[in-house]
Amino acid sequence: MIDVVIVGAGPNGLMLACELALAGVHPVVLERHTAPTGEARANGLVGQVVRLLDRRGLYAPLSGESTPPTPQPAFTFGAFPLDLTVLAENPHYVLGVPQAQLEATLAARAVELGVDLRRGHEVIDLHQRPDGVEVDLADGTQLTCRFLVGADGGRSVVRRLAGIDFPGVTNDRSISRTATVTVPASSLDPETGGLRVPGHGVVPPFQHTRTPRGLIAWAPFPGRPAILSTTEWPDTPTDAETPMNLAELRASVARVLGADIPLNAPDGPGLLRRLSGHNTRIADRYRAGRVLLVGDAAHVHPAIGGPGLNLGLQDAVNLGWKLAATVRGWAPPGLLDTYETERRPVAERVVMSTQAQSALIGPGDEITGLRELFAELLGMPEVTGHIAALMAGADIHYPADPADPLAGRCAPDVVVRGDLGPVRLAELIRTARPLLLDSTGAYAEVAAPWRDRVDVVTGALEGTTASALLVRPDCFIAWSAGDVGTLRASLTHHFGPPR
């Protein structure tokens, strides 16, 4: 019997596969497409997930940089520019890589770790039994696994077959158009890289620009074709059967800005996409027996602000160590159920954020008035900091011991100075094993009965006020320095009884 079958070889499914493999469980990943589609979807990663990728050794191959990620000085919220340089602690990171590159990197890493990646295998039915799940494939074969995970997107077949409802709302008022384009050099602002638009001014790069008639975004990615997109709220529906072309996008730009921009197709293949409306939905449960959901299979929302991969990849890392612990037999009671209790509130905050931004970019004079007030609020650094933490997912605080002020929060970028010299937490936790950092040397003996699943590193700690930290595989703090009794309790609560 296969331990875990993951349906879907997108970023979330592949990330989960890597996490399981690091924990000693080698899953089978089923993907209905025979090869990667190369379809242009996300154009980068936004938020704390960038730090997470660094903590799995994936930031360097994705970014091409040998140094750790650094916070982004600016971003956007609801078509407002956010100046993040005013913050004492900036939580916002950005990594501009297309989704196809991310998928290729994760697929290569999964195969390197021993994951069985099977393309061209479509799931058509499933049957749960007390000790596992039978999975029927379109070619007539059947697989049996202990757990099945649906990472197969917003139209998840696994979710439907498991009988999990997907409540929410569909808003079909908006029309979004996106294309890869080139523009004449005379249309580019040499200082900012923005678009010069006669009669309007400069459309800044990598921001949403809102007018009372719609929204426009200009993204001149280095080394690849630029992307231009618009969003409108037309009074009459667009013919969805007619393929989109650059003339349609150019006309949309003219309506939004009240001015024309010359657009040309890039050399080679390009993106032309029209989307009508958006869905906001969260699965009514993330688990049905031995079937679990991750990423878009569990939640969908508007793409504004780019939170999708930040949410989905961290779902995968949260689920990975808990599912592996369950498969390997050391999970404490109820551990697997904490996947939903921890991650659902995060999805609900992302939905709240994207709904708020969707309202702020809407058309009409009433929204313009609301935006004037909101602009005043963003003049306060504390408001900017609150919004930045929300956008980055840096405000997550999982349920934990209220007497422990650090427990339940994401671990800071600690540096340990021990026998091996200064070592970053990001380098120590790439194995995805629980980690006890101890600057006193007093706690290592307490954790010794858990050494089969918890690593111990001693040395001076920089970047934290705590003298010791117990860090979960998903890089959240399970415990910070206290008496040895609370450490034993936390080790047992998170990682099962000692052996």
Side-chain angles (χ1 to χ4, degrees), residues 80-309:
F80 286 97
L82 292 178
D83 178 10
L84 304 179
T85 62
V86 303
L87 304 180
E89 294 185 8
N90 180 359
H92 209 81
Y93 296 78
V94 174
L95 176 58
V97 296
Q99 183 166 324
Q101 180 185 347
L102 174 64
E103 288 185 6
T105 300
L106 288 173
R109 177 60 171 154
V111 172
E112 175 187 317
L113 291 170
V115 172
D116 186 354
L117 175 54
R118 305 180 187 180
R119 299 189 184 274
H121 289 73
E122 183 178 1
V123 173
I124 60 171
D125 206 355
L126 64 87
H127 312 278
Q128 292 210 55
R129 63 191 199 192
D131 62 342
V133 184
E134 295 174 348
V135 185
D136 295 338
L137 305 183
D139 63 4
T141 60
Q142 186 180 77
L143 301 177
T144 303
C145 57
R146 295 178 63 186
F147 289 94
L148 177 68
V149 180
D152 49 343
R155 295 184 174 89
S156 172
V157 171
V158 171
R159 185 185 63 236
R160 175 178 57 81
L161 293 173
I164 299 175
D165 290 336
F166 204 35
V169 296
T170 297
N171 185 325
D172 57 3
R173 287 191 58 216
S174 64
I175 301 290
S176 298
R177 299 174 175 89
T178 304
T180 46
V181 299
T182 60
V183 299
S186 59
S187 295
L188 294 175
D189 180 60
E191 294 185 4
T192 66
L195 277 176
R196 285 176 168 172
V197 183
H200 173 81
V202 175
V203 175
F206 302 108
Q207 292 186 19
H208 291 101
T209 298
R210 185 252 181 198
T211 75
R213 300 169 299 278
L215 195 74
I216 185 169
W218 165 247
F221 293 103
R224 53 190 173 110
I227 294 179
L228 183 65
S229 65
T230 64
T231 302
E232 297 179 86
W233 293 263
D235 295 328
T236 57
T238 300
D239 180 8
E241 301 300 322
T242 303
M244 182 183 143
N245 53 40
L246 278 183
E248 180 181 332
L249 177 61
R250 186 170 180 173
S252 177
V253 170
R255 290 191 295 270
V256 170
L257 296 180
D260 187 41
I261 298 177
L263 302 177
N264 297 297
D267 296 332
L271 168 67
L272 281 170
R273 182 174 64 202
R274 182 201 303 122
L275 296 176
S276 298
H278 59 259
N279 288 302
T280 300
R281 300 180 182 278
I282 300 179
D284 69 351
R285 47 190 170 144
Y286 283 19
R287 178 185 180 188
R290 292 180 173 270
V291 177
L292 298 110
L293 304 177
V294 70
D296 289 354
H299 41 66
V300 294
H301 47 76
I304 187 166
L309 287 173

